[in-house]
Amino acid sequence: MRAGWIRLWRWTAWGGIGLSLYAGWLTVDDVRDRASSERDISAACDGLVPGAAVMDLQGGMVRAKGSDYDRLDVRRLPDSCAVYKVPGPGKTTSLFTLVVRGSAPAKPLNWIGDDSRLEPFYDSYGMESSQKRDVTAVADRRPEAQPVGDGTLGWYGNRYTTVRAECGPGSSATAPELLHVTARADYDDVSAADRQRLARIARSATKVLTDRIGCRTRLPALPGRQLAQAPSVLRPARAAGGSCRWFARHIKEQGQGRLPDRALAVSVREENPVESCLLAVSPDQVSRIAVGLHGDKREFARSALTHSPWWLRTASYFGTEARTVGYDNIVDEEKIIKTGTAGHTSGGWWASSICDGKPALHTLSSSYTYDDVLDSRTLSALFHASVGTITKQRGCTHVTYPDAGDFRVS
C-alpha cells in the first residue's frame, strides 16, 4: 500500500514538473511572438511607432501584424500604415492605423463644403427604423474634434488623436510647412486608457518624424490629466455654449425660422488654431420647416429624416492651418483657398481676416440640400454673426466677407 502511494506521488511530481516546463515553454513562445509582432509593427509604420505601445491597446495582446499592403513610407506623404490583431491562427481583426499628412500646394489638410468627408451623421438606410429614428441626435460618424490641451498640439476624438507640427525656420527645404499625424484605434468602445495611449503614440510618432525629415518644431507636452470623452450628443441650440454660444445669441435675437435647433460645441481656447461648431436640425424642426416648403424642397424635408440630414458647420482656421484649407472642385479637383480672399463653393463659404499678425480663414459648410432651404439673407446673416463673433473675440482685423451674391438664393 505504501509503495503505491510513493509511486502516485512520484507520478504526480513528474507530471507537475512536465506541466511547469510546458507552461514555461508557452511563456517563452508568447514572449518571442510578441517581440516579433512589435518588430513587424515598427517596420510597417516605418519606425514611427513603438510596437509595444500599439500592442498594449485593447487590453494588451500577444500577437499582431502590420498590413502587407498598407505600409508607411515617410518619403511619400501622405501615407499610412495599418496593424491587425491576431487572436488565433488564420484570424485577424482591425486594431490600429497611423496616418501621416503634410501640407502641399494642391493638397488640403482641412476641408469645407458639402464633401462627404465632413458628414457628421450616419444615416438610417439599411437599419431598422426603431434603431435610428432621430438621425441628428448624435454625431455618431464625425463628432467635433476636441482640443488637446489648448489645441496647439492638436485635437482628438474618442477613437483617435491628431498631433500637429509646424516646421519653422531652419527646417529642411523638403519638409512641409505643416504636419498632421493621426493615431487611430480601429475597434469599438475605446477605453480612457487607450485614448491616452493613442495620444502618446501620436506625439511620439510626430517627434520621430520631425527629427527624421528635418522639421524644426517644438511639440507641447501632453496634458497632465486624462483626455475626457469627446461629447457627441447634440444639445438644444438655444442653450449652446463654448464655440456655439454665438449661435444661441443669434437665434435669440433673429428668431429660429428655418435655422438648426441643435448644436455641438467645443471648448473655446484662444490659442487653438482650429475652432468649430456643429449645428443640426431635429426631426421636429424638419417637420415645422416642411410646412412652408413646396415641390422638390418638400422632398428635401423627407430625405432629411433618413439619409440626408440637415446640418451646418462653422470652422475657423488660424495661422498655418489657414493656409491648408480647401475643397473639391469639379474642374480643378482639389483646390486650396488663398488666404486674404472670400468666396464660396458647393455648400461652402469662406471669409478672411488677420489675427495676431497671422492669416485666418472663417468658413461655413452646409449639408447637401439644406442651403437650398435657407434663403440667401438668412445664410449671410448667420455667417456674419459667426465670423463677427470670433474675430471680435480674437481681436482680428482686415475682415473680408463674400459678396452678397455668393449666398445662393432659394
Side-chain angles (χ1 to χ4, degrees):
M1 183 72 176
R2 182 179 178 187
W5 280 109
I6 293 173
R7 283 195 299 271
L8 178 62
W9 180 86
R10 286 175 177 172
W11 281 112
T12 302
W14 283 113
I17 293 171
L19 288 173
S20 297
L21 290 173
Y22 179 67
W25 177 81
L26 287 178
T27 301
V28 171
D29 194 47
D30 285 351
V31 170
R32 287 174 177 171
D33 282 351
R34 181 176 169 102
S36 176
S37 297
E38 291 174 5
R39 290 192 297 270
D40 186 61
I41 292 169
S42 180
C45 297
D46 204 2
L48 296 187
V49 300
V54 174
M55 294 191 68
D56 284 339
L57 292 169
Q58 211 175 13
M61 62 204 67
V62 173
R63 298 169 187 85
K65 66 186 294 286
S67 168
D68 294 332
Y69 306 102
D70 196 357
R71 301 179 79 85
L72 193 148
D73 186 341
V74 299
R75 296 170 297 181
R76 58 176 196 208
L77 302 182
D79 209 355
S80 64
C81 61
V83 176
Y84 296 90
K85 182 178 180 178
V86 184
K91 298 179 180 179
T92 59
T93 59
S94 296
L95 176 66
F96 170 82
T97 298
L98 183 76
V99 181
V100 180
R101 299 188 299 155
S103 56
K107 292 287 184 183
L109 293 180
N110 299 298
W111 300 84
I112 70 166
D114 55 11
D115 193 288
S116 61
R117 283 168 287 198
L118 302 178
E119 174 61 54
F121 307 105
Y122 285 117
D123 61 42
S124 59
Y125 268 22
M127 301 176 64
E128 295 291 336
S129 59
S130 60
Q131 289 182 290
K132 195 169 186 184
R133 295 182 182 277
D134 191 340
V135 180
T136 61
V138 179
D140 45 10
R141 181 176 179 183
R142 186 182 293 273
E144 297 309 276
Q146 302 296 308
V148 176
D150 65 5
T152 53
L153 180 62
W155 46 86
Y156 76 99
N158 289 329
R159 293 176 54 176
Y160 74 93
T161 293
T162 295
V163 167
R164 57 186 301 277
E166 299 182 27
C167 301
S171 296
S172 166
T174 58
E177 185 179 20
L178 180 65
L179 289 163
H180 285 179
V181 179
T182 301
R184 185 184 74 217
D186 294 331
Y187 50 89
D188 296 328
D189 301 323
V190 177
S191 66
D194 277 1
R195 280 200 301 273
Q196 292 299 115
R197 291 187 179 97
L198 291 170
R200 289 194 293 268
I201 290 171
R203 189 185 183 283
S204 172
T206 306
K207 181 67 170 65
V208 174
L209 175 65
T210 53
D211 289 345
R212 188 183 302 177
I213 67 175
C215 169
R216 297 289 297 274
T217 190
R218 186 190 70 81
L219 295 178
L222 287 167
R225 62 183 183 278
Q226 277 198 338
L227 300 178
Q229 187 167 8
S232 59
V233 178
L234 277 76
R235 304 297 184 186
R238 288 185 176 275
S243 60
C244 295
R245 188 182 303 276
W246 66 270
F247 184 68
R249 184 169 60 250
H250 180 70
I251 57 176
K252 182 179 180 180
E253 295 173 353
Q254 302 297 320
Q256 185 70 62
R258 296 178 179 177
L259 290 171
D261 58 337
R262 288 175 168 170
L264 181 58
V266 302
S267 56
V268 174
R269 300 283 189 272
E270 189 173 339
E271 298 84 358
N272 192 356
V274 181
E275 185 175 310
S276 66
C277 167
L278 174 63
L279 307 169
V281 184
S282 72
D284 288 345
Q285 175 70 342
V286 169
S287 299
R288 285 190 289 268
I289 294 172
V291 173
L293 301 178
H294 303 282
D296 289 343
K297 292 181 181 178
R298 182 70 66 88
E299 292 299 319
F300 293 167
R302 293 193 182 98
S303 66
L305 297 173
T306 54
H307 63 281
S308 296
W310 287 345
W311 56 266
L312 298 171
R313 177 182 278 114
T314 61
S316 289
Y317 305 91
F318 301 91
T320 309
E321 296 291 342
R323 290 191 282 270
T324 68
V325 181
Y327 56 89
D328 272 339
N329 181 285
I330 296 176
V331 177
D332 300 323
E333 295 185 352
E334 296 175 344
K335 189 174 182 66
I336 293 280
I337 297 172
K338 185 178 180 180
T339 56
T341 67
H344 72 108
T345 182
S346 177
W349 296 263
W350 70 89
S352 295
S353 70
I354 300 294
C355 305
D356 196 25
K358 299 177 182 178
L361 275 176
H362 313 281
T363 69
L364 170 65
S365 295
S366 171
S367 61
Y368 178 66
T369 74
Y370 185 41
D371 52 337
D372 278 332
V373 172
L374 301 174
D375 60 60
S376 59
R377 184 176 179 180
T378 298
L379 276 171
S380 179
L382 179 78
F383 193 42
H384 278 69
S386 168
V387 177
T389 298
I390 198 164
T391 53
K392 181 178 180 180
Q393 288 174 342
R394 299 211 183 199
C396 306
T397 60
H398 300 82
V399 184
T400 305
Y401 289 98
D403 295 332
D406 289 333
F407 293 93
R408 181 165 44 189
V409 179
S410 59

